[in-house]
């Protein structure tokens, strides 16, 4: 249940937690927010400086996130992707958490004398508006994250129907 590199909950534990929280939200008619984010240009760092540097950065990032968001359930999904589930949360609360993530990553990371300025692209999906099942929420948060990347990185975006339509149109073009 723990990610071996960062000691954060892993994908398996996150899925179990989301399933449990969705049941609670349904019973209590509450909102949830799912925040999906990755580290901008992480692949470049890994490929240029090596996996030891990338691993160290992921450990430092995880530590900063835990300090900045001690009450939140943060999981590493794999690679440089992280998710946070906010139980009984409004979109405003999700936006506050997204800003906290950005602020936590803002100070320079130093590794063996090298300075790394890290940013993230963040996607947010809200239950039940953006999906009532875990798979839909995760997909929609992921889609919103990629929209944040397309808009220049280092920002956050909420999932919208327009984003979903644009993705469907893109997939249609690719298939053609």
């Amino acid at each position: 249940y723990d990610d071996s590199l960062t000691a954060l909950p892993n994908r398996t534990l996150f899925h179990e937690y989301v399933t449990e929280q969705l049941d609670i939200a349904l019973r209590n008619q509450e909102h949830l927010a799912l925040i999906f984010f990755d580290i901008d240009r992480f692949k470049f760092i890994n490929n240029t400086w090596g996996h030891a540097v990338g691993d160290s950065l992921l450990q430092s990032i995880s530590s900063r996130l835990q300090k900045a968001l001690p009450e939140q359930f943060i999981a590493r999904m794999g690679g440089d992707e992280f998710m946070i589930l906010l139980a009984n949360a409004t979109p405003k609360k999700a936006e506050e958490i997204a800003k906290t993530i950005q602020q936590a990553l803002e100070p320079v990371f130093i590794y063996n004398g090298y300075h790394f300025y890290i940013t993230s692209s963040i996607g947010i999906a809200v239950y039940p508006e953006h999906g009532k099942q875990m798979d839909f929420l995760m997909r929609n948060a992921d889609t919103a994250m990629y929209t944040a990347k397309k808009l220049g990185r280092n920002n956050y975006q909420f999932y919208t129907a327009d984003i979903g339509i644009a993705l469907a149109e893109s997939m249609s073009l690719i298939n053609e």
Side-chain angles (χ1 to χ4, degrees):
Y1 288 124
D2 292 330
D3 176 64
S4 61
L5 181 64
T6 63
L8 289 173
N10 66 14
R11 177 185 301 264
T12 302
L13 182 56
F14 187 77
H15 283 233
E16 289 181 14
Y17 182 69
V18 170
T19 301
E20 175 186 303
Q21 291 302 312
L22 282 170
D23 288 342
I24 292 168
L26 177 63
R27 267 195 317 272
N28 299 337
Q29 296 183 343
E30 298 173 340
H31 285 80
L32 296 177
L34 194 61
I35 299 175
F36 191 1
F37 64 100
D38 74 1
I39 307 307
D40 294 331
R41 298 182 177 86
F42 183 77
K43 185 176 181 181
F44 174 78
I45 292 169
N46 237 6
N47 291 342
T48 304
W49 300 100
H51 291 280
V53 173
D55 288 352
S56 179
L57 281 173
L58 289 172
Q59 290 167 336
S60 296
I61 287 165
S62 299
S63 178
R64 283 193 192 178
L65 291 171
Q66 288 175 305
K67 287 177 186 167
L69 300 164
E71 302 296 318
Q72 303 307 323
F73 191 89
I74 307 166
R76 179 171 175 234
M77 302 307 282
D80 65 325
E81 294 180 332
F82 297 86
M83 287 195 115
I84 300 174
L85 178 72
L86 305 175
N88 194 19
T90 63
K92 182 173 174 53
K93 178 65 175 176
E95 185 173 16
E96 290 171 9
I97 296 296
K99 289 178 182 178
T100 300
I101 293 166
Q102 291 175 319
Q103 290 167 354
L105 299 178
E106 210 168 79
V108 66
F109 288 84
I110 301 172
Y111 181 84
N112 285 344
Y114 295 104
H115 291 72
F116 297 92
Y117 297 91
I118 303 297
T119 60
S120 63
S121 295
I122 304 169
I124 305 168
V126 178
Y127 168 88
E129 292 88 343
H130 304 143
K132 294 183 180 179
Q133 297 172 343
M134 178 178 55
D135 292 342
F136 289 112
L137 280 172
M138 290 179 70
R139 184 189 69 208
N140 291 342
D142 187 31
T143 300
M145 179 190 70
Y146 279 101
T147 299
K149 284 191 176 303
K150 285 182 193 174
L151 295 174
R153 295 182 166 85
N154 194 28
N155 72 85
Y156 59 90
Q157 296 294 314
F158 282 88
Y159 178 81
T160 65
D162 290 343
I163 291 173
I165 291 168
L167 179 63
E169 289 173 354
S170 291
M171 291 305 296
S172 178
L173 285 173
I174 290 169
N175 285 334
E176 287 177 18

